[in-house]
Amino acid sequence: MKKLLIILSVILLSVSCSKSESSAFKIGILQLVEHAALDDANRGFVDGLKEEGFEDGKNIIIDYQNAQGEQANCTTIAQKFINDKSDLILAIATPAAQAVANMTKEIPILITAVTDPADAKLVADNNLPGGNVTGTSDLTPVSEQMELLKKLIPNARRVAFLYNSSEQNSKFQVDIARKKAEEIGLTTRDATITNPNEIQQVVQNLIGKVDAIYVPTDNMVSAGMPTVVSITEPAKIPVICGEEGMLPAGGLATYGINYYELGKLTSKQAAKILKGESKPADMPIEYLQNLSLQINTNAAQKLGIVIPADL
């Protein structure tokens, strides 16, 4: 009799678990590449979902995939999420978002770490997306970052913009940076790459030709910051960054956003969609309001830069 009761208990538990798992929402997360900013956005999203009452392994099942910086992988992963009938997809970074958005018009898609979704053709309008895509922007105060460069390096006359020429969000920021740089009397030049292997040579070619380097929130360069700094630091060339995740590798300073908080902001949108309270078409692209100044004092010391008292 005891054996029978045990067997029945196991069967009931199995059915219960199966039912719970089958009723859980399936969420696919596609991250373009591993680096501090995107990792933080992902972590903030998952933590934020938990705060909203959605926990992985309980009422949601998260399938996290990293494309390792390859566009072809983004497409393959996007197709996997569609085949798995995901209830919602989070795409982290512009190329990942474009890959997913091109594959489905039915599954709700949230995007984050995308500078300007409308400019990237992901939504019809940032205020009224109108389709199955919405999310959060990581647009940083680029003009203020250029002013920060001038304040920290007052003798700078020549600045290079180091970025991936195939990344739309980077080009968008560089256009803003170029206009501001010209306003404050800086001569600019583009230092573009198309794959990580080009970083060393491109940066090496800047030695003796520029006084500073500006890197926007570029995913390829962000992942390759140790390579960048290994060349710029001995040459005493400061690097002003688009986001704070580049500073631990040796970037000098930034004025920007916190990607963990950006991920949490995106999770609030996800909760509304999962609860049936709203649809992507009617949800405006959202922005973080709190910006922070971050200065790498160790880098400043190595570069011989004196930080102004008011900073």
Side-chain angles (χ1 to χ4, degrees):
M1 187 66 176
K2 278 187 178 180
K3 286 184 178 180
L4 181 59
L5 286 172
I6 291 170
I7 292 169
L8 283 171
S9 297
V10 170
I11 292 171
L12 286 170
L13 181 61
S14 175
V15 170
S16 174
C17 290
S18 176
K19 184 177 180 183
S20 172
E21 197 168 297
S22 65
S23 63
F25 291 107
K26 294 180 181 179
I27 298 177
I29 297 180
L30 168 55
Q31 182 173 322
L32 175 65
V33 66
E34 290 182 0
H35 64 70
L38 302 191
D39 293 347
D40 283 349
N42 179 27
R43 189 165 51 88
F45 180 77
V46 175
D47 289 352
L49 276 179
K50 188 174 181 179
E51 290 177 9
E52 293 289 335
F54 295 96
E55 186 173 353
D56 189 23
K58 291 187 177 179
N59 54 354
I60 60 171
I61 299 172
I62 295 177
D63 182 2
Y64 169 75
Q65 300 287 332
N66 191 295
Q68 304 300 327
E70 296 291 337
Q71 192 64 44
N73 291 343
C74 287
T75 303
T76 301
I77 294 166
Q79 187 61 62
K80 176 187 186 300
F81 290 160
I82 294 167
N83 293 343
D84 292 344
K85 302 187 185 305
S86 298
D87 296 294
L88 184 145
I89 298 173
L90 172 70
I92 307 176
T94 303
Q98 290 170 328
V100 178
N102 288 336
M103 298 288 284
T104 176
K105 303 300 178 187
E106 285 78 39
I107 299 173
I109 298 170
L110 284 174
I111 60 177
T112 192
V114 175
T115 301
D116 190 302
D119 183 71
K121 304 293 187 287
L122 291 164
V123 298
D125 186 278
N126 288 332
N127 292 318
L128 191 63
N132 65 321
V133 179
T134 191
T136 57
S137 165
D138 65 347
L139 179 61
T140 58
V142 177
S143 294
E144 287 83 349
Q145 289 170 351
M146 296 308 298
E147 290 173 351
L148 177 64
L149 184 155
K150 189 67 174 176
K151 195 162 190 175
L152 283 170
I153 318 146
N155 295 325
R157 296 290 179 268
R158 306 164 298 171
V159 59
F161 301 133
L162 177 62
Y163 66 102
N164 175 7
S165 58
S166 64
E167 197 162 323
Q168 183 62 32
N169 69 301
S170 300
K171 291 190 285 185
F172 183 87
Q173 293 169 81
V174 166
D175 286 343
I176 299 173
R178 183 178 291 109
K179 183 178 179 181
K180 184 63 180 181
E182 291 170 356
E183 286 178 8
I184 58 179
L186 294 172
T187 300
T188 67
R189 65 186 294 159
D190 285 0
T192 60
I193 59 171
T194 57
N195 69 72
N197 296 327
E198 295 175 351
I199 292 177
Q200 184 171 352
Q201 182 179 347
V202 169
V203 176
Q204 191 69 52
N205 287 340
L206 295 174
I207 304 302
K209 299 173 184 175
V210 298
D211 305 308
I213 294 173
Y214 172 71
V215 180
T217 56
D218 185 281
N219 293 293
M220 191 175 289
V221 180
S222 184
M225 273 299 289
T227 301
V228 174
V229 175
S230 70
I231 300 167
T232 57
E233 192 174 273
K236 303 296 183 185
I237 298 176
V239 181
I240 300 297
C241 308
E243 51 91 9
E244 62 186 53
M246 300 181 193
L247 301 191
L252 175 60
T254 188
Y255 182 56
I257 65 172
N258 183 299
Y259 277 78
Y260 178 79
E261 294 301 325
L262 189 70
K264 291 189 77 171
L265 182 62
T266 317
S267 74
K268 295 183 184 301
Q269 295 174 311
K272 290 178 181 178
I273 294 171
L274 294 175
K275 292 174 183 177
E277 296 174 357
S278 191
K279 295 179 180 179
D282 307 318
M283 303 171 70
I285 298 297
E286 295 189 37
Y287 303 80
L288 278 182
Q289 301 303 314
N290 296 325
L291 303 173
S292 62
L293 171 66
Q294 302 283 336
I295 298 176
N296 184 339
T297 54
N298 288 331
Q301 187 175 10
K302 291 176 181 178
L303 293 166
I305 291 174
V306 178
I307 301 169
D310 61 334
L311 294 180

